[in-house]
Amino acid sequence: MMGGLAKGLRVIETFTAERPRQSIGEAATAAGLDRATARRCLLTLAHHGYADYDGKYFTLTPRVLRLGTACLATMPLPQIVQPWLDQLSEETGESSSVSILDGAEIVYVARAAQQRVMSIALMPGSRLPAYCTSMGRVLLAALPQAELDAVLAQAPFPARTPRTRTGAVALAAEIARVRAQGHAVIDQEVELGLRSIAVPLWNMRGRVVAALNIGLAASHATVEDLPARFLPGLQRIQTELRGLLR
């Protein structure tokens, strides 16, 4: 029974912003399951209201958010950081977010959006690759070397734009630079027209537990201007939150 639950969760995780609708075969391939098993999982999800099925494609329903909401509700981090995000976004006129690392991806846990800066709508629970995002790079920079090596061993990564660094050597060098300077700047690597800057968030014991960023349209600031304009505000919040995060 627990094996069936695990397979069902694997199927749910195959639905992403890039793959919101999937056939049985597509979900089976993405989850690493045979078609019969994927079909049973998908039909069970549909039966219980977690997915819709039009005869060919499955899509997740808002009911599945109950699973993530229950998890987020047990985490103090989103509630703690949200007032700071709101203030930062109001001060800068740009969107700000906090995320955590989950394997090779970042997961958004809180967000204050002044305007939509990506083609996909970002919200708590949204996932993006760590290798090409500013928050991802500061979180990767905080990993023990063995864990970082395990992530970089998955390279080369997909190039989301012509600017994306995809190779292990280039990424290792950039992550080392991020670790040394204490912040990361991304120039249109995750999506053309988007720039961002991020810093790590430490808890009271000095461990990196999350990342904080500001994301903006490339037309709003040059990549050279990002640290001068936004780093002081990010570092102020970084310092203020250090004594509050566990």
Side-chain angles (χ1 to χ4, degrees), residues 3-210:
L5 173 61
K7 291 171 184 175
L9 292 173
R10 281 166 61 184
V11 169
I12 289 175
E13 290 179 347
T14 66
F15 289 87
T16 65
E18 290 78 20
R19 291 197 308 267
R21 299 170 68 246
Q22 295 188 96
S23 66
I24 292 172
E26 290 167 340
T29 299
L33 301 171
D34 60 72
R35 283 180 58 92
T37 300
R39 180 177 182 275
R40 286 196 300 272
C41 291
L42 288 166
L43 290 176
T44 299
L45 290 171
H47 176 73
H48 290 284
Y50 289 99
D52 283 330
Y53 181 43
D54 64 6
K56 183 176 182 180
Y57 292 104
F58 289 84
T59 56
L60 297 182
T61 68
R63 186 183 180 91
V64 80
L65 293 175
R66 295 182 183 182
L67 303 175
T69 300
C71 175
L72 289 173
T74 67
M75 298 171 59
L77 179 62
Q79 291 85 355
I80 291 172
V81 302
Q82 191 63 55
W84 273 267
L85 288 183
D86 293 337
Q87 180 185 25
L88 181 63
S89 189
E90 185 68 27
E91 291 174 352
T92 62
E94 306 292 353
S95 299
S96 60
S97 307
V98 167
S99 71
I100 59 175
L101 189 65
D102 181 19
E105 294 181 314
I106 60 169
V107 182
Y108 283 72
V109 298
R111 182 164 168 80
Q114 287 287 326
Q115 55 189 316
R116 184 165 172 170
V117 293
M118 287 192 68
S119 60
I120 60 172
L122 295 174
M123 63 191 72
S126 294
R127 290 173 173 265
L128 286 175
Y131 69 92
C132 60
T133 54
S134 60
M135 290 189 288
R137 287 192 182 158
V138 297
L139 291 169
L140 291 174
L143 288 178
Q145 191 61 47
E147 294 182 29
L148 175 59
D149 290 344
V151 173
L152 294 181
Q154 302 173 42
F157 296 99
R160 293 178 63 103
T161 80
R163 295 174 176 263
T164 309
R165 292 179 176 89
T166 60
V169 173
L171 284 168
E174 179 60 19
I175 290 168
R177 190 165 76 91
V178 168
R179 186 184 298 116
Q181 68 187 13
H183 69 273
V185 172
I186 291 291
D187 183 18
Q188 305 180 79
E189 291 192 51
V190 65
E191 185 170 297
L192 289 176
L194 173 67
R195 292 181 174 131
S196 64
I197 180 170
V199 298
L201 292 179
W202 301 294
N203 64 11
M204 59 186 65
R205 295 183 294 277
R207 184 172 68 87
V208 174
V209 294

